[in-house]
Amino acid sequence: MHTITIQGSSKESTILVGEACSNVKKYLPSSQVVIITDNNVFDNYQEFFPDGNVIRIDTGEGIKNFETVDYIIDELVKIEADRSAFMLGVGGGVVCDITGFVASIYMRGLSFGFISTTLLSQVDASVGGKNGINFKGYKNIVGVFNQPDFVICDPEMLKTLPEGELLNGCAEIIKHGVIAEIELFEYLEQNYNRIFDLDREVLEKVVYDSIVIKSSVVNRDEKEKGERRKLNFGHTIGHAIEKVTGTSHGKAVSLGMVSAANLSEARGFLSSDEKERIIQLLKNMKLPVEMKIDKERVLDAMRRDKKREGESIHFVLLDGIGKAVIEEITIKELEEYFL
Ligand SMILES: NC(=O)c1ccc[n+]([C@@H]2O[C@H](COP(=O)([O-])OP(=O)(O)OC[C@H]3O[C@@H](n4cnc5c(N)ncnc54)[C@H](O)[C@@H]3O)[C@@H](O)[C@H]2O)c1
């Protein structure tokens, strides 16, 4: 097992990579524990849950809203959860986001922790202290920065994950390699097959490396004033593709990374060999590198993106594999190098 510490402004958070979910009791306080989970995770893992009240929610991005927050708070009131209660989110990014959000506002804040059950939530969503919900079609527009006491990432839980969900995590792992760590990128080039075999050693290594990369960025810039923007590599275009086409997050980010690599090459930051290596790794990891898309609608979605500033946007490019830079670019330039 590997342990990583994140020093957030609200508190210190410990990430436990390779810890078994059944060991969660070791990290819980003796006070009342309230478990938030979704129906899929409950069906697969209820036998490993520690003692405590269980609040079950439905699955999918659509439930990450105030209605679900309302429902959970209603349940907390019914079971008379007080300020000493501990909230444990057991699930993917949706459960973790909503648990962190409710725990931060109920009675002005309870302690909370996560058992992170998808590859995406292990390498991304449950690390970094962002806890957001959606509002009227705007993704993660309401939320708080607040760190969980702990996050357990148990690779065994990934065995029940559908392959499509695994791919969402793969895209983020590749992103971490290309923006910050060429060794991780090279390791993926050599071992990508073993991820799909759910090889424990490989999963632990890529989850651990991803968390170290994300947490070191977050430790330097918890509230996204500059450095943290590098984690958005491939996401400006990716989010717009996801929104317009309904493509899954990982596939959309993959297409966004290809566009960002094109732009990096055009600006003279990335060689064509390096770009081809990135494209090859995406392909090897079953992610798309081209798609027939209504380009105008995607660009239009990007124009309305909340991160846009004037006619240009802060865009993450690659200065070689393993190093990201933030440059101002115009929507017109984006149009030119888009896929
Ligand atoms: N807070 C952050 O910094 C941050 C970062 C990235 C993403 N996110 C958020 O994370 C969310 C996406 O997270 P996700 O991809 O984990 O999706 P998810 O939570 O919707 O989980 C995907 C599906 O897998 C199922 N599932 C979860 N664990 C399982 C398991 N072990 N076995 C079988 N099925 C399982 C779930 O029930 C669900 O149907 C989005 O809402 C996104 O905004 C947050």
Side-chain angles (χ1 to χ4, degrees):
M1 183 179 70
H2 302 281
T3 304
I4 303 151
T5 305
I6 298 191
Q7 199 57 61
S9 51
S10 55
K11 65 169 81 126
E12 193 176 276
S13 181
T14 306
I15 322 276
L16 304 138
V17 180
E19 178 60 295
C21 63
S22 52
N23 283 337
V24 64
K25 293 175 213 72
K26 286 202 284 191
Y27 307 98
L28 292 169
S30 52
S31 54
Q32 181 185 19
V33 174
V34 183
I35 300 158
I36 312 291
T37 192
D38 72 26
N39 289 329
N40 279 342
V41 177
F42 182 83
D43 289 345
N44 280 297
Y45 295 102
Q46 56 180 298
E47 64 190 288
F48 299 111
F49 285 9
D51 293 339
N53 300 87
V54 180
I55 301 176
R56 283 166 64 171
I57 58 176
D58 217 335
T59 58
E61 190 63 27
I63 60 106
K64 217 175 81 171
N65 56 22
F66 273 114
E67 211 176 304
T68 308
V69 170
D70 201 306
Y71 167 73
I72 295 173
I73 293 176
D74 240 352
E75 294 298 301
L76 290 170
V77 171
K78 272 189 214 154
I79 59 176
E80 298 178 2
D82 63 20
R83 279 191 49 77
S84 68
F86 184 92
M87 284 180 69
L88 177 68
V90 188
V94 166
V95 165
C96 294
D97 267 2
I98 211 155
T99 302
F101 182 66
V102 174
S104 301
I105 59 171
Y106 181 72
M107 290 199 164
R108 297 186 186 80
L110 306 183
S111 293
F112 64 104
F114 301 140
I115 298 179
S116 203
T117 65
T118 65
L119 187 59
L120 180 107
S121 66
Q122 294 191 357
V123 299
D124 191 358
S126 55
V127 188
K130 281 188 184 180
N131 310 277
I133 60 165
N134 306 326
F135 182 70
K136 296 194 177 172
Y138 293 94
K139 218 169 134 56
N140 298 323
I141 201 164
V142 177
V144 293
F145 283 101
N146 196 7
Q147 298 286 350
D149 286 5
F150 64 81
V151 182
I152 289 180
C153 300
D154 179 352
E156 296 300 320
M157 296 180 99
L158 303 178
K159 289 189 173 154
T160 48
L161 204 59
E163 186 171 278
E165 300 298 340
L166 205 64
L167 293 184
N168 290 334
C170 288
E172 299 297 341
I173 296 168
I174 296 174
K175 178 196 80 179
H176 288 136
V178 293
I179 64 164
E181 187 66 70
I182 188 150
E183 284 81 9
L184 173 59
F185 184 86
E186 287 169 346
Y187 184 83
L188 290 170
E189 286 184 312
Q190 285 150 21
N191 295 286
Y192 64 87
N193 262 336
R194 292 168 67 194
I195 292 186
F196 296 103
D197 294 339
L198 298 173
D199 179 308
R200 188 184 169 105
E201 185 194 324
V202 175
L203 284 172
E204 268 196 51
K205 151 96 181 148
V206 298
V207 169
Y208 174 78
D209 283 4
S210 280
I211 294 173
V212 169
I213 290 165
K214 181 164 182 187
S215 58
S216 69
V217 173
V218 172
N219 278 342
R220 288 197 292 275
D221 176 24
E222 189 185 18
K223 304 221 166 139
E224 201 164 331
K225 299 214 165 66
E227 178 83 3
R228 190 165 179 163
R229 286 182 173 158
K230 291 182 180 169
L231 296 170
N232 289 333
F233 179 70
H235 282 62
T236 308
I237 295 179
H239 277 153
I241 294 176
E242 197 177 345
K243 197 166 181 176
V244 168
T245 66
T247 307
S248 69
H249 183 74
K251 290 181 177 168
V253 167
S254 176
L255 297 165
M257 289 196 280
V258 174
S259 301
N262 284 340
L263 246 160
S264 307
E265 184 191 20
R267 286 232 172 162
F269 288 123
L270 195 69
S271 70
S272 67
D273 280 0
E274 287 174 308
K275 188 183 90 177
E276 286 313 315
R277 271 176 80 187
I278 294 170
I279 289 176
Q280 192 55 50
L281 180 60
L282 291 167
K283 281 188 192 164
N284 287 346
M285 292 185 75
K286 307 185 188 182
L287 288 160
V289 295
E290 52 193 0
M291 192 188 198
K292 269 201 176 328
I293 300 179
D294 183 343
K295 210 165 141 178
E296 244 338 286
R297 282 186 65 207
V298 174
L299 289 166
D300 201 48
M302 235 155 30
R303 281 187 194 99
R304 281 183 273 116
D305 190 281
K306 60 184 192 291
K307 289 184 188 82
R308 196 181 143 242
E309 287 137 33
E311 264 317 295
S312 58
I313 48 175
H314 280 110
F315 199 80
V316 190
L317 297 176
L318 297 178
D319 186 6
I321 296 174
K323 185 169 178 221
V325 287
I326 298 166
E327 293 275 303
E328 284 226 342
I329 64 158
T330 60
I331 297 277
K332 212 169 160 4
E333 262 181 290
L334 267 186
E335 214 170 321
E336 205 171 324
Y337 295 102
F338 182 85
L339 284 181

